[in-house]
Amino acid sequence: MLEEVSEEEEIKQALESIKSMNFDDNMKAVAEKKIKERILEARRNRAEQNQQEEIDNRVDLKEELEIQVHIKEENKKKERELKEFWD
C-alpha cells in the first residue's frame, strides 16, 4: 500500500532537490523563497481545514445530542401514555 505524501512533504522534497542542484545563488534563493512560501501556504491550508473539520464535528455532535434528547422525550411520552392506558 502506497503511503500518501502530504503537500508540505512534497514541497520540502522539492526544496532539498533545488539545494542540491548547481544553480547560481540568486536563482537558488528565489526558488527557495517560493518553496518556503508554498510550505507556509500548505500549513495555513491544513490549519484551516482542521479548524473547519472541528467546527463540523461540533455541529454534528450538537445535532446528535439534540436527536438523543428528542428520542428520550418521545420514549418518556410513550411510557406515560402506556401507563395511563393501563391504569
Side-chain angles (χ1 to χ4, degrees), residues 71-86:
I71 290 171
K72 286 181 182 179
E73 288 173 354
E74 287 295 314
N75 286 339
K76 286 180 182 180
K77 181 180 173 187
K78 288 178 183 179
E79 286 176 15
R80 279 193 305 267
E81 290 173 354
L82 279 173
K83 185 177 180 186
E84 288 173 5
F85 175 77
W86 290 109

Side-chain angles (χ1 to χ4, degrees), residues 23-24 32 37 41 58 61 73 76 82-83:
F23 292 123
D24 66 42
E32 286 178 8
E37 289 171 355
E41 181 181 341
R58 287 181 183 175
L61 178 60
E73 288 173 354
K76 286 180 182 180
L82 279 173
K83 185 177 180 186

Side-chain angles (χ1 to χ4, degrees), residues 18 22-34:
I18 288 175
N22 291 325
F23 292 123
D24 66 42
D25 289 339
N26 187 39
M27 192 173 177
K28 206 182 259 191
V30 169
E32 286 178 8
K33 180 181 178 198
K34 286 182 181 182

Side-chain angles (χ1 to χ4, degrees), residues 1-15:
M1 186 162 125
L2 292 175
E3 188 174 317
E4 190 172 319
V5 179
S6 71
E7 180 182 0
E8 185 176 339
E9 278 302 312
E10 287 181 26
I11 296 168
K12 285 181 181 179
Q13 290 171 1
L15 179 61

Side-chain angles (χ1 to χ4, degrees), residues 7-8 11 37-53:
E7 180 182 0
E8 185 176 339
I11 296 168
E37 289 171 355
R38 294 270 322 266
I39 289 172
L40 292 175
E41 181 181 341
R43 287 179 182 168
R44 275 193 300 274
N45 290 342
R46 188 174 59 233
E48 288 173 3
Q49 182 179 14
N50 288 343
Q51 184 179 22
Q52 187 59 47
E53 286 175 3

